[in-house]
Each structure stands twice: as C-alpha cells, then as structure tokens.
Amino acid sequence: MAVNLATLLAVVGLPFLAAALTPFVYRFLGERTAYYAAAVALACLGLVASLFGTHGAVSVEWIPTLDVSLRFYVDGLSLLIATLASGVGVLILTYSGAYMHDEPGQAKYYAALLAFMGSMLGVAFAADMIVLFLFWELTSLSSYVLIGHYQRAGPSMYASRKSMLITVAGGLFMLAGFLVLHAVSAEALGSATWALFGDGGILMPENAAAMQTALADQGLLVPVLALVGIGAAAKSAQVPLHIWLPNAMEAPTPVSAFLHSATMVKAGVYLVGRLRPLLGGEEWTAAFVALGLLTMTVAAILAVAATDIKELLAYSTASHLGLIVAGFGFTSFYGAETGAFHIVNHALFKAALFLVAGIVAHEAGTRALNELGGLREDLPITAGIAVIAGLGMAGVPPFNGFYSKEFLFKAAWEYATVHEGVAFLVPVVAVFGSIFTFLYSIRFVAMFFGDKPDALGHVHSPPAIMLGPPALLATLAAVVGIGGVTATFGVHLEPLETFVASVIQATGGELGGGAHAVAASGAAGAAAAGSEFTYHLPTSRESLPAATMSAITIVLGAAAYTEYDALHARLDELISGPLTANYYYDGLTDGANPFSDRVRNAVQTRRLRTYATWTLAAFVALTLGAYAAAEVTLALPVGELLPVTPPKLAVWLVLALAGVGAVMVVRANSHVAGVLTLSILGFMVAIFYILSKAPDLALTQLVVETLVLVIFLLVLDRLPAFYGNVTRSTALRDGVLSVAVGATVAITVLLATATRPDSIASYFVRTAYPEGGGSNIVNIILVDYRAFDTMGEIAVVSMAALSIITLIALRERGETQ
Amino acid sequence: MSPPVAVIAPLLVVLFTAILTAVAHRSLRVQRALSVLGGVAYLGAVAYLFARVKAEGTLVYQLADWRAPYGVTIVADDLSVFMLAFGSFVGVAALAFAVVYVDEVGQRVSFHPLYHFMLVGVTGSFLTGDIFNLFVWFEVMLMSSYVLVVFYSGAEHTRAALQYVVLNLVGSALMLVAIGGLYATVGTLNMADMARRLADPAAFGITTLAPVLGLSVVLFVVFALKAGIVPFHWWVPAAYRAAPAPVSAALAGVVKKVGIYAIIRLYFTVFAPADLGELALPGFSGSGPLAYFGPVLLVMAIASILLGGVAAVNRDDIDDLLAYSSVGQVGFIVLPLALAAFGIVAGVDAPAPYGDVAGVSGLAVLGVTAALVYSLNHGLAKSALFLASGAIYDATGTSRLDRLGGLAERAPVLSGGFFVAAIGLVGIPPLIGFFGKFLVFDAAAVAGSELALGGALAGAILTITYVTRAWNRGFWGTPTEVVDATRTNRTQVAVVVVLAIAVVGVGVAFDPVLEAAIEGAAAALDTQGYVDAVNPDTTTSATSGGGHA
C-alpha cells in the first residue's frame, strides 16, 4: 500500500506545532500540560499506527534548486523507530504529569519534549540526507535544552554542553559523510542526489550496486564509513564518545528514559541499520563489530563500577547500544536479527527500568546504590516491574533480552567459525561483556531485596500515574518473553515476528550475496525466502553454541556476583585518570580555556607596534611573493637621472635633502625635532612637484605641509616630551621592516611607471575644453568627469569636521558609558 | 533610454538622510524621525533596485552622462544587489536599535549623520564600477566608522580607535598606491574597462601584465584589513568592543562584508582574466591571479577560523567573544573563495545547480555562492548577537559573563533571540547558518580538499565550544544581582527578535535566497557579461567616440 503524504507531514509536523503552542497552553492548563502533550503523542502514535502496512517514499519540495525535498520513507525500520518515539512518548509524558509536580520550567520542558518527539519522528521517516541531518541536529538541540533543564545547577550545564559538543560535532562528521555520498552518487547514478529513497535514492535496491562500485572504485568506502560511523557513534554513545550519556542523567528522569535510553540514542544505531545494506562488507564488519563489542564490554564494566542507579542505567544503555551496533556489524542474517530485535527489547526493558529508577529516586529520595535495599516491602509493584525488566536486561531466559542476545551469540559464533583464528575472540568478548551485563542487572534488581538500610525510612507508594507507564512497558516485555516460550511449542507471536522481520529486511537481512541479497532486502511486502523471523528457546543443535555461551554467562555471572562489592570497589578505584575518556574530554575542554587565553594574549598584545609590524610584514611578504611569482623585471630608471646636467642636478639635490631628512627623522630625540625634520621631506616633495612642472600639486602640498606642521607643533606642546626607550633588537627589527616596506613600495612604483599603456587620459586631454569647458584638465576631472568622487571627498571632509565636534562634545562622557 | 535612476536611488536617499539629520540636530525628535524615515526609504529604494535588477538584469548608471570608462559608472548587478539587500536590512535594523540605545546627547551631536554616512560608504562600495570611486567610498565608510568607534570617548575607546585609525590609514595609503599603480599599468580606472584590458592587453598598448599581480596584492591587503582576515585582523576585537552595540552590529554585519564584496568583485570579475603565465613560485601552480590568491586565501582562511575560534573560547565579555568569533567566521566566508579560486585555476566542475551557470568552473560558482550565503548568515546572526549584547548591557549595566548569569530566567525573550542567533552561528538546521556551513563543506568536498574540510570541521567544533560556554555562563545558572534587577527595553528586544526570526526564516525559505546567491556568484564570475553591460568605450586613442551623449 502506498504511503500517504498528508499522514507523514502531520505526524512530523504536529509535535512541532504543539511545541510552539505549549507556552500558551501552559498558561491555561498549568501542570496538566503534561496530558495535553501526552494527547499529542497519542495522536502521533495513532498516525504512525495508520502507516503500518504501507511502504514506500513520498516527498514534497523544499529547496528545489538543491534538489532537497522533504522526502519521507516508510518501512519496517522507520516504523519501529517512529513507534518507539511516539509510543514511549505517550508513556513518558503521562508519567511526567506526576513526576514533574512542582518542578520549575514546565512550559519549556514540555515544548522541548514535544519538539524532540517531532525531530525523532523526522529522523525515523526522513529519506533525504539533508532532511535527516536537519532532524538529527534538532534532536541534539532539544536534548541540550532538556539535559540543561535544571539550568541553575552546575552539573546540568556541564552535562548539556558535553552532550551538545559531542553529538552536534558528531553530526557534522555525518554531514561530511553525506556530502561524500552525494558526490559519489553523481558518478554512480548519473546525477547527484540527496535522496536516500524514492526516485534515484542511493539506498534504493536498484541503485545500491552502482553506488557500491563507485564507492569502491574511488576508494571512498572507508572515509564514508569513518565519517558516518563517527556521527552514529557520537549519537549512540559508543566508546570513546559514550561519555556524554552518563552525565545526561542530570536531566529529569522521564527525559533520561525517553531520550537517553529509548529513542534519541537509537538514532545512531538507526543510521547504522539504514546504511547497512549499502555499506555492509568486510570493512563494515571490522569497524562496527569491533566498535560495538568494545562498547558493550567497556560500558558494562563501567556500569558495574557505577554507584548511582541512573548512572548504572546510562552505562548499561551505552553497552546495549554497543550490542545492537555489533549486531548490525555482522553481515549475516543473525546480525540483522540481533540489531532489529534488540532495539525493541532494549526500549521495553530500559525505559521501564528508568521509570523505576525515577520512582525510587522520587520516593526514597536517593539514587545511591549502597543506600538502597529491601524496597520490595514498600514498592511491591515497582519491584515486580524491576524484576521482569531487569532479568530481560541480564539476558536470563525466558525474559525478552535473552532472545536477542542469543542472536548476537549466534552471529558471533558463526562469524568465528567462518573466519577462524583471531575471529574466535569475537564470541569470547561477547560472553565476557555479557557477564558484566548480568552482574549489574542483578545488582540493580537487588535493591528491592535484602535488608532495608535504617537510614532509608518509610518509602511512599508512587501515584498510579507514575506506576502505569513502567507497568505497561514491563508487561509488554513479559509478553515478548512469553512469546518466545510459546513459540518453542509452535505458538508464535505473529504480529511481533512479522514486524521484526520487516525491520530485518529494511536493514538488509543477510548481506554478502551481492546484488541479489541487496535487491531482496529492499523488496516490499512479505518476507522473501530465508528472511523470516522467529524466536524461541534454544532447542535445536544449531543453537547449542549460543545456548552454551548464555549458560556460561549466567553461571560465571552468578559466581562473580557473590564478589560484586569487591569487584565494584576494585573497578571504581581502577577506572580513573588517563584510563577514562572523560580525562581527555575534561582535559581538552578545561585546557581550551587557558589555551584560548594564551593564544589571545600572544596574538592580541594590545600594542599598535605589534599590529603594525605584522600588518606591514604580511604586506611585504605577500607583495614581494607576487612579484616573484609573476617574474617581474625591474629596470632602475638611473638613465633618466644621468648624466648630471643642471636641471637634473636640482632633482639630485632634492633627493639628497629628502634622504637626509628621512635619516634625521629616525634619529630625532624629541617630538618637535621629529616633526620638523619630517617636514623637510614634505617640502622636498613639493619642490619635486615644481621641478616636474606641476605647480598646483606643489601648491597643495605646501599648504598641507605647512598646516600639518603648525597643528603638530600646537598639539605636541601639550604632550610629554618623553620618547620611549627602544632596545637594540627592536630598533633593528623596525629598521629592517621599514626598509622592506619602503623597498616594496618603491618597487611597486617603479614597476607601475615603467609602462605607458593607452590611457583614458588622452580622452580628457582631447575633450576637457570642448566638452568640459575648462582648460585645466585636473580641475575638469575633479568637477565634471569625476565630480562624484569629489562629492564623496566633500562628505569625508564634512565628517572630519563632525568628528572633531563629536570628540570635543563627548570627551568627558567616556566614563559614563 | 533614460538612465535608470533606480541604481543611484539608494545612495541618494541615504546621502540626503545623512545631510538632513546633520542639519536637524536641534531637535532630537525631528532628527530621529528623519533618521528612521530615511532608513525605511533606503530599504524601499534597495528593494526597488533589487526587483528591477532581477527583472531587467544588470543596470548601469553613467554619472553626469559621461560614458564609461571616462566618468564614474555605477553598476547594479546580481552580486551587488545581493550584498546590498542584506546589508541594508541589517544596517537599518541596527539603526532602529540605536535610536533607543545611544544616549540622547550622542545622538544629537553626530550619531545619525555619521551612521548614515557609513551606510553611504557601504552602498557606494557595493554599487560602484570604478576602482578610484571605490576608494572614495572606503574613505567615507572609514571616516564615519573612526568616529563611531571612538564615540564613547573613554580611555579604552580611544585606544581602540587609535589603533583602528592607524591601521586603516596604512590601508588607505596602500589602496592609493595600488590604484595609482593599476592605472599606470593598465590605463584605466573603470572596472569593466580594466577587465577588458587585462583580458586583451595587446589591444590597449599594455606591454606587460607582470606588475598587475603584485598591485592586486597590495589592494588585497586593504580588503583583507577591512574584512578582518588573519593576519590583518588586529583592530577587530578592540574596535568591536569599544563601539556602541549598534555600531558593532553594523561593522561586523555589514562593513566587514564590503571587504568580502570587494575581493569577490575585483579578483573574480576584474582580475581573473589576466594571463600572467605560469607562476614561478614553489607551491603555486596555474597562471592567473587566482592561482596566487587561491593558496593565500586558503591559508588565511584557516588561520582566521582557528585563531578566531580558539581566542573566542575563553572570553569573559560577550562583545569580546563576538569580536573574536567574527574573526573566525570571516574565515568561513573566505575559505570557499579560496576553493572557488582553485576551481577556476584547475577547471573543477561541480554538480547541478552550480555547473553550467556562468560558463565557468562549477566549483567556482559553488564557492562564491557559499561565501555569499555565509556572509548573509553572519550578517544577520552576528548583528543580532551584538544587539542582544547591547540590550543586555543596557538592562544590566554589564556585558561581562562573569557578572551575568540566569538571564534566560529574567529576560526570556531576549535570551531566546540570543540563543537562536547563536545556534545560527553553530549551524543548526534549518537556520540559515546551517546552509552557510553546508555550502562551505560542500565546496571543500567537491574540491577534494581535506585541509579545507578539516579546518571547517575544527572551526565548527570551536564555534559550538564558545557558544555553549557563553550560554551556560550568561544565560543559565542562578540569576546574579545585576540580572535580578534586569529591565529590558522592548524596542531593543524587538529588533533582536526580528533579526533572530530572519535567521530562521531565511533558512526555512532558503530556495529563493540560494537562487539569488547563485545568480550573484554567476554575475561575479561572468566577466564578459559585466563588461558588456557596462559597455565601456572602445575607441580610447581615436579622435571620435565617447563623450557626452
């Protein structure tokens, strides 16, 4: 079924419209704005639901000149992300109604959440690289605002800036990758396009082969992988760019649950899944399996070292995102199954756990793990939710996370058996990381059991409105888990399996079959042969290695759990300093400030001498470089001055006096002497004009020179007579520079006067009298041919007068401004 | 055919406004009314000229009816009107702000005439087709800006102004040397005539073009000084900080762009056709002036981006931060020009819509388009930021970040305006700033220049760094004592909001803007079209022709 454009525009546009209206709505509804926002999210969810069963691309023009359109595309993957964004949105916004009671800045909070939801829906459906980037950056921006929600708190500000720096900068790398893809598409497809899907889109099955060939031929596959990979890694908190995510927990807990576990951080893995059919291959696997498993393991270890329940969940999120990235990294069908299915499972259990964390923090008043225990007495329902979701996170059968983790083990094992050798490290690392996942999951759940610390006091029951959303999420997670059990006996959870199959298809399914596999991946509708998706408890022989890996994980995990506290303490101690990515981030951002000062102070000395020196030196270097580059030939006009006849003698004399004057200026030891000797130069120039038969120029020069001299002397009388001391090296530098500047100007003049082109001057000579009515050509030029210039100069002179008035009138007012 | 008065109208309107506001200084109300009305009329005249040029193509006005190249020619083409359109908008917005910002004594003494004279200089520079006339308008612009920088007349203002004046006087002297040299070498002052002569020197008795490169470099130094490109940026931080906020807004938003315009106009339209032979300097290849300017611009652009960006990171004063940011941002404007030069020299094409536009390298069209769009972005966003800073100063008595804090709580609308303009600098879509960055990145990708791409990426990250720091310190956090007592001026805030809306609106409705920018770039690169439009007299040495029609 074709996609309805109006529905898509509505689903993406509605949240933005609602966000814009939020300040007004808040004025009327106050705290109940939460339900207004939840209603908007529900409407979006309904619109998304109406898109199920449709497939394809639609577009509406935006910037036709650039061929950028609001292109949208609907398939399994986009529906998955959109359902998460709107569905979790409904729950989160409802939950906020109770959680945000009496909190500051609610209008801004709901507006930002709605705008975020719209952006996330935009990311999901965008089928144009520019439009995708647009919504991508808007999610980062709304995240910045939401993390900084408690805008008076230092940690919030630190966290929001960190997330902005990392995710927006990462986005720029992604944009660079898109630009390369755009350029490559020109070669591969005949005309450059920004479209991912739709006519001529680079991800369309019929275009994939040509794009792959062009990328490989131009050697651009690895650069594109790297650029897009950095963008995805920044957004999805992959090591070492994961560091913003734990800090992002400064946001109110509903925000953490929504943006920083269920949706926004999925944008990165979404991108990886999206591009998998196009870029998948050996380099792809090497990059993303390594990145994903590294993140999964490192973040899981960090989660064990965490002391705060939200921090634990944040690291856990990064770890699970790593699992998804690693899944998409494999080109096998198992790989696609891992990624697609785990997105669903993770969203369910992690959003539930965050909301649980929110309830605990809200009702118990602390988030420190060692201060929490025995909560099941006061929070029985919450404890039930935590158990279901927590065991899913741990990967314990038959809870939901178990099944998707099994796919990872299968993919890893298959990869190892095919590639052999070092490749066996892949399943080993996968199991190793999973042990830590198991550990922290159990630790999280354990706060509901055991003894209640005395300091905790009575913990209130949360309001129903806060309990409903996590309960619903946990129920769904439980249903997924039970579906696996029933499937073992042939009763499948059909809608879920079909849906996940469509997501798998969208991410390319089994890659490596060349064009055929790619073509199959894009095919609409029912699953092609071999790409059906089912999940169940391990029963067959093929699932033995993966099942064994799960068993090892759980057994070792359970054994290690007895030593959890020791392990936690040891890791907490170990992970510090240069071993952490934060060390480098803080080093860079903190170091940037003094570095900024050093650079500023070194460059902007506030001294005119420095500025003039560099300005003139750059002028000399650039100009002489240009003369050298153009290979000018310099002819000194000595011929015109030799032999020395009486008229030429006068010129020599003037030159000599001017030279003496120039030397004297430098040697003058007072202002007055300096000005007087400088005027020698000026008067010599006037005499030179006389010798060159230019009496009006000479007259002007004499007037100016006299006036300047008089004014100088009048002003200098009021200045201190002190001339600064000049060191030898400064004097030398200044001397060299002035000679260089003088030489450059002299060369310029010599070169310019060496030629006699046909000049417009001949026209003036010819027409000055008949057309201009005057015999003094210069005057006619000034008042007729180029009177416009003269008008401008008159403006300058009037302004000079105005300047003097201003300086005098305002001189005493300086301190008041 | 009657001469198209539309070409000269913006200049005349603003010139008369300058004179009238000077005459009317006895009554502040009359003076203010004249000033604002003049500003509005100026906008109207620019809009009319813009529409005429879009409808009829390049319009030429020969002053006093002296035929080019003998008189002074005014040329309004797609490039000029693009610059003029956003320059006048920003200029008038800053004027509206100034009316409620600059103290009344200052306004009465000279602010209005000086400000309008500055606009006269800007308008004349964008429209003139004559290099000596360009010098005149530079002088008009400089003379007024000297006074406007020193306007408050305190010690720091005087110090900043002194440095500004001295460096620009050096610039003026160099400009005169260069123009004189060009006249002596090429025999004309009219830009179109000069372009024609450079393309075919033998026909005009020009024996060698070799000195032209050096002369054009001397001229370039002046434009670089004007635009504040490293290493000619020295005066920028102190002057922007010293000047009243609306003047800083106009200096950064508009006057700076005159330097950029002059570089585009002279080096891409006028000097580009000169054949200088293969350059004989290691590191340079190709034969035209652009073969020299390409690498030079690239190095200067990246130096500007890095220096401005790094220095902006830890500034304690908003104006100081914005000034260093301007140094960095101008690097982003110049960077694509370097790539455009490279495109022309190496004949690099670019995909649609840039290829086949002006019959020249597509990369050149893309590069100049990027520079124009980025200029527009910087003009709008930076002036909004300077004005916001002024409004903050007016409301709290300080623009120091360490004394501010929590502004977002006490002045939400003003803070919102600042935020939008600031993320416009960062380049968040769909703001116009994004398209500026995007086009710069695109030009770097098409040119295949990792250096340019890396520089632009580094600069963009630095921009995020200083913008988020300023926001966190000044606008978030607990309101400080001065911020608690904040009372913002509604008109000032309104002007900031208008500019912020423009930053968003021009981005959302980007298509016509891009079209205008591409047309501007095409006009800049179409030397023959420019020459044909001006149609200078070809019978220089013959006895007939030319003269009063």
Side-chain angles (χ1 to χ4, degrees):
Chain A
M1 216 169 96
V3 178
N4 185 347
L5 174 65
T7 312
L8 275 166
L9 288 178
V11 79
V12 176
L14 182 64
F16 286 106
L17 183 68
L21 293 177
T22 300
F24 306 104
V25 173
Y26 184 77
R27 219 167 273 178
F28 294 108
L29 292 185
E31 292 202 343
R32 277 166 297 168
T33 307
Y35 306 114
Y36 152 80
V40 171
L42 191 63
C44 288
L45 182 62
L47 288 167
V48 171
S50 77
L51 288 168
F52 271 83
T54 64
H55 177 98
V58 284
S59 70
V60 56
E61 263 190 2
W62 179 25
I63 310 170
T65 309
L66 279 180
D67 187 33
V68 170
S69 295
L70 291 175
R71 296 185 175 91
F72 296 111
Y73 181 70
V74 178
D75 69 351
L77 186 58
S78 54
L79 283 173
L80 170 61
I81 302 294
T83 309
L84 287 180
S86 50
V88 179
V90 175
L91 300 178
I92 295 297
L93 288 164
T94 311
Y95 181 91
S96 295
Y99 186 92
M100 295 301 286
H101 179 57
D102 279 346
E103 293 275 340
Q106 295 206 15
K108 185 187 76 176
Y109 173 83
Y110 290 112
L113 270 181
L114 283 170
F116 164 75
M117 191 175 74
S119 316
M120 199 61 214
L121 288 165
V123 168
F125 289 119
D128 182 289
M129 289 190 261
I130 300 302
V131 176
L132 174 60
F133 179 77
L134 158 73
F135 289 119
W136 182 280
E137 294 294 69
L138 287 181
T139 61
S140 297
L141 192 66
S142 36
S143 164
Y144 173 74
V145 172
L146 286 166
I147 296 173
H149 179 75
Y150 299 112
Q151 51 183 316
R152 292 186 174 197
S156 291
M157 292 195 268
Y158 170 84
S160 56
R161 184 178 186 219
K162 196 175 191 178
S163 83
M164 177 95 162
L165 261 172
I166 294 178
T167 57
V168 174
L172 291 172
F173 282 89
M174 182 182 85
L175 179 66
F178 286 173
L179 283 165
V180 177
L181 282 174
H182 176 71
V184 169
S185 71
E187 197 118 328
L189 311 177
S191 68
T193 182
W194 296 108
L196 293 167
F197 294 101
D199 282 340
I202 59 166
L203 292 179
M204 292 303 274
E206 66 269 21
N207 293 337
M211 281 298 293
Q212 285 160 348
T213 316
L215 278 169
D217 288 349
Q218 299 181 31
L220 287 173
L221 180 64
V222 174
V224 169
L225 258 182
L227 290 169
V228 174
I230 291 173
K235 201 78 165 177
S236 279
Q238 299 297 290
V239 170
L241 302 177
H242 66 288
I243 48 172
W244 66 269
L245 190 57
N247 291 106
M249 300 302 131
E250 292 299 335
T253 301
V255 172
S256 310
F258 191 24
L259 274 71
H260 305 122
S261 87
T263 55
M264 185 181 100
V265 289
K266 297 281 164 52
V269 295
Y270 164 80
L271 183 71
V272 174
R274 230 344 141 216
L275 295 177
R276 184 172 176 265
L278 178 67
L279 302 175
E282 278 178 32
E283 297 89 347
W284 172 273
T285 301
F288 285 109
V289 169
L291 178 69
L293 287 181
L294 177 73
T295 303
M296 174 180 153
T297 308
V298 170
I301 293 172
L302 290 168
V304 171
T307 48
D308 173 297
I309 50 175
K310 277 184 81 180
E311 187 193 1
L312 182 150
L313 291 179
Y315 280 121
S316 155
T317 302
S319 171
H320 284 274
L321 291 167
L323 192 160
I324 298 169
V325 167
F328 282 140
F330 294 110
T331 53
S332 61
F333 194 75
Y334 287 137
E337 287 180 301
T338 312
F341 197 27
H342 204 65
I343 292 180
V344 177
N345 289 329
H346 178 252
L348 292 177
F349 68 65
K350 189 55 63 65
L353 289 174
F354 264 111
L355 297 184
V356 165
I359 291 172
V360 170
H362 213 255
E363 307 304 336
T366 176
R367 296 195 326 225
L369 267 173
N370 57 7
E371 291 172 17
L372 293 164
L375 289 171
R376 75 175 187 292
E377 291 163 28
D378 293 320
L379 305 170
I381 303 174
T382 314
I385 296 167
V387 168
I388 296 171
L391 292 180
M393 176 160 81
V396 174
F399 295 94
N400 65 343
F402 167 74
Y403 304 100
S404 35
K405 186 166 276 185
E406 279 290 284
F407 286 119
L408 175 75
F409 288 154
K410 284 178 183 168
W413 183 255
E414 188 191 60
Y415 181 78
T417 50
V418 171
H419 291 81
E420 296 184 330
V422 197
F424 274 99
L425 267 179
V426 172
V428 171
V429 172
V431 170
F432 181 70
S434 299
I435 294 172
F436 288 93
T437 308
F438 179 85
L439 278 174
Y440 70 70
S441 303
I442 302 303
R443 180 65 189 88
F444 184 88
V445 176
M447 70 178 167
F448 288 92
F449 301 93
D451 298 327
K452 186 170 156 185
D454 298 333
L456 207 50
H458 180 68
V459 179
H460 294 277
S461 296
I465 206 93
M466 281 176 75
L467 217 44
L472 181 60
L473 288 164
T475 311
L476 289 175
V479 169
V480 174
I482 294 165
V485 179
T486 57
T488 318
F489 307 105
V491 184
H492 293 269
L493 207 59
E494 289 287 353
L496 179 68
E497 293 191 347
T498 317
F499 178 54
V500 175
S502 72
V503 179
I504 292 169
Q505 249 178 29
T507 58
E510 165 122 32
L511 297 179
H516 172 71
V518 174
S521 74
S531 60
E532 272 177 42
F533 172 77
T534 61
Y535 70 100
H536 46 73
L537 293 168
T539 47
S540 60
R541 267 182 66 90
E542 297 97 84
S543 43
L544 188 62
T548 314
M549 286 158 80
S550 274
I552 296 173
T553 304
I554 294 169
V555 169
L556 287 183
Y561 187 74
T562 55
E563 295 300 316
Y564 190 92
D565 289 338
L567 189 64
H568 165 81
R570 188 92 188 84
L571 285 174
D572 201 25
E573 189 182 318
L574 195 70
I575 299 163
S576 61
L579 268 181
T580 63
N582 271 323
Y583 175 83
Y584 300 97
Y585 173 84
D586 291 335
L588 273 176
T589 46
D590 292 347
N593 292 340
F595 180 66
S596 169
D597 288 347
R598 268 209 304 284
V599 168
R600 204 277 296 253
N601 295 338
V603 175
Q604 298 296 127
T605 58
R606 291 162 52 85
R607 286 187 195 180
L608 188 52
R609 178 189 287 264
T610 319
Y611 300 169
T613 303
W614 285 102
T615 302
L616 292 170
F619 151 69
V620 169
L622 283 175
T623 309
L624 292 183
Y627 288 139
E631 295 181 285
V632 294
T633 44
L634 196 61
L636 286 174
V638 277
E640 293 179 28
L641 290 170
L642 293 172
V644 184
T645 53
K648 286 178 185 173
L649 186 65
V651 177
W652 276 107
L653 206 62
V654 168
L655 258 178
L657 269 173
V660 171
V663 174
M664 295 292 286
V665 172
V666 179
R667 303 186 63 85
N669 56 5
S670 75
H671 292 306
V672 175
V675 168
L676 285 174
T677 39
L678 188 64
S679 72
I680 297 180
L681 263 172
F683 285 110
M684 286 309 118
V685 172
I687 297 174
F688 179 76
Y689 287 149
I690 296 172
L691 293 174
S692 307
K693 304 188 183 68
D696 38 3
L697 267 183
L699 205 59
T700 315
Q701 174 77 14
L702 283 172
V703 170
V704 169
E705 202 55 52
T706 313
L707 270 176
V708 166
L709 182 64
V710 170
I711 294 170
F712 259 149
L713 288 176
L714 284 176
V715 174
L716 289 181
D717 194 38
R718 303 177 66 99
L719 290 183
F722 178 67
Y723 248 164
N725 288 323
V726 179
T727 63
R728 245 188 126 72
S729 60
T730 312
L732 189 68
R733 185 195 65 192
D734 292 355
V736 169
L737 187 66
S738 21
V739 169
V741 171
T744 309
V745 173
I747 290 171
T748 304
V749 171
L750 286 176
L751 286 171
T753 47
T755 57
R756 291 266 177 277
D758 300 340
S759 159
I760 53 171
S762 58
Y763 175 83
F764 299 135
V765 173
R766 207 169 58 243
T767 59
Y769 188 69
E771 300 268 350
S775 53
N776 184 329
I777 300 173
V778 174
N779 286 358
I780 298 298
I781 290 177
L782 289 177
V783 301
D784 194 339
Y785 296 109
R786 303 189 66 93
F788 198 48
D789 288 341
T790 310
M791 185 190 75
E793 292 299 347
I794 290 171
V796 173
V797 174
S798 348
M799 272 191 285
L802 212 48
S803 320
I804 294 165
I805 294 171
T806 310
L807 290 178
I808 293 171
L810 297 180
R811 77 188 147 160
E812 296 303 335
R813 304 179 57 84
E815 304 313 316
T816 64
Q817 276 292 342
Chain B
M1 203 183 93
S2 67
V5 180
V7 184
I8 196 96
L11 194 64
L12 290 182
V13 168
V14 77
L15 181 66
F16 276 109
T17 310
I19 295 167
L20 287 176
T21 50
V23 173
H25 70 94
R26 280 179 200 288
S27 159
L28 181 62
R29 283 180 60 187
V30 174
Q31 194 191 30
R32 271 180 180 169
L34 281 171
S35 181
V36 172
L37 278 178
V40 173
Y42 171 58
L43 274 184
V46 170
Y48 177 62
L49 175 60
F50 191 90
R52 282 282 300 268
V53 169
K54 290 299 166 189
E56 299 166 39
T58 305
L59 295 177
V60 177
Y61 188 93
Q62 311 283 9
L63 278 152
D65 225 0
W66 287 109
R67 183 172 180 187
Y70 311 116
V72 175
T73 309
I74 303 287
V75 188
D77 68 351
D78 286 323
L79 177 63
S80 306
V81 293
F82 183 90
M83 302 301 289
L84 198 53
F86 83 80
S88 59
F89 177 71
V90 171
V92 173
L95 174 68
F97 187 93
V99 167
V100 289
Y101 180 81
V102 176
D103 70 4
E104 298 196 346
V105 177
Q107 288 196 44
R108 282 187 60 178
V109 170
S110 62
F111 182 83
H112 290 286
L114 286 170
Y115 191 87
H116 283 282
F117 270 124
M118 189 163 79
L119 292 182
V120 169
V122 169
T123 312
S125 304
F126 284 150
L127 288 174
T128 188
D130 185 286
I131 55 170
F132 186 79
N133 195 237
L134 181 69
F135 170 78
V136 172
W137 298 127
F138 264 56
E139 288 298 295
V140 170
M141 211 159 56
L142 284 172
M143 193 66 222
S144 48
S145 67
Y146 293 154
V147 195
L148 289 171
V149 167
V150 77
F151 203 74
Y152 289 145
S153 309
E156 273 306 302
H157 312 111
T158 311
R159 183 194 189 98
L162 185 69
Q163 298 183 343
Y164 178 62
V165 169
V166 169
L167 290 175
N168 277 295
L169 282 180
V170 169
S172 294
L174 289 179
M175 191 169 182
L176 215 47
V177 167
I179 291 172
L182 283 167
Y183 173 71
T185 312
V186 188
T188 190
L189 292 169
N190 182 286
M191 292 182 193
D193 194 31
M194 187 171 284
R196 195 184 54 172
R197 285 163 177 252
L198 289 172
D200 187 12
F204 299 91
I206 302 168
T207 45
T208 171
L209 284 182
V212 170
L213 183 61
L215 291 166
S216 68
V217 167
V218 179
L219 201 53
F220 170 75
V221 167
V222 183
F223 300 147
L225 189 67
K226 189 90 264 188
I229 314 169
V230 172
F232 302 101
H233 66 284
W234 312 101
W235 58 272
V236 173
Y240 283 11
R241 212 179 146 174
V247 173
S248 302
L251 285 177
V254 187
V255 177
K256 204 170 228 223
K257 307 304 180 298
V258 174
I260 299 293
Y261 165 81
I263 291 173
I264 297 174
R265 173 57 84 212
L266 283 169
Y267 297 87
F268 287 88
T269 313
V270 176
F271 297 137
D275 183 11
L276 302 167
E278 186 72 19
L279 295 187
L281 204 64
F284 296 85
S285 63
S287 66
L290 290 175
Y292 186 76
F293 283 102
V296 167
L297 283 172
L298 186 67
V299 171
M300 287 171 64
I302 291 179
S304 298
I305 289 174
L306 296 181
L307 176 69
V310 167
V313 168
N314 203 34
R315 299 287 53 82
D316 272 330
D317 186 282
I318 302 180
D319 288 341
D320 218 10
L321 178 138
L322 295 177
Y324 281 103
S325 158
S326 287
V327 173
Q329 297 290 314
V330 87
F332 275 103
I333 299 175
V334 176
L335 187 67
L337 290 180
L339 300 167
F342 170 72
I344 288 179
V345 173
V348 183
D349 208 5
Y354 315 106
D356 306 320
V357 170
V360 293
S361 137
L363 176 56
V365 178
L366 169 58
V368 177
T369 304
L372 293 180
V373 172
Y374 210 108
S375 296
L376 164 66
N377 161 49
H378 186 244
L380 293 174
K382 193 49 68 63
S383 55
L385 291 169
F386 268 118
L387 294 182
S389 165
I392 292 167
Y393 183 88
D394 218 27
T396 63
T398 184
S399 57
R400 289 190 63 84
L401 288 167
D402 46 8
R403 298 192 54 206
L404 295 169
L407 270 169
E409 283 182 41
R410 292 289 178 271
V413 180
L414 178 59
S415 302
F418 186 94
F419 186 71
V420 169
I423 61 169
L425 278 193
V426 171
I428 301 283
L431 278 57
I432 181 67
F434 160 68
F435 292 103
K437 283 239 162 61
F438 163 72
L439 290 170
V440 172
F441 277 41
D442 199 14
V446 169
S449 168
E450 286 96 354
L451 183 64
L453 196 60
L457 264 173
I461 293 170
L462 284 169
T463 311
I464 308 171
T465 311
Y466 63 71
V467 162
T468 50
R469 179 176 169 279
W471 178 260
N472 282 357
R473 293 195 56 181
F475 296 84
W476 278 350
T478 312
T480 54
E481 225 169 280
V482 289
V483 172
D484 254 336
T486 292
R487 284 184 71 93
T488 49
N489 177 308
R490 275 166 184 266
T491 313
Q492 291 175 5
V493 174
V495 174
V496 173
V497 168
V498 164
L499 283 167
I501 290 174
V503 168
V504 180
V506 174
V508 171
F510 184 58
D511 202 58
V513 179
L514 177 65
E515 260 180 51
I518 293 178
E519 283 163 10
L525 296 164
D526 184 9
T527 305
Q528 195 54 49
Y530 186 76
V531 172
D532 290 345
V534 175
N535 190 22
D537 189 11
T538 49
T539 52
T540 310
S541 50
T543 45
S544 64
H548 266 122

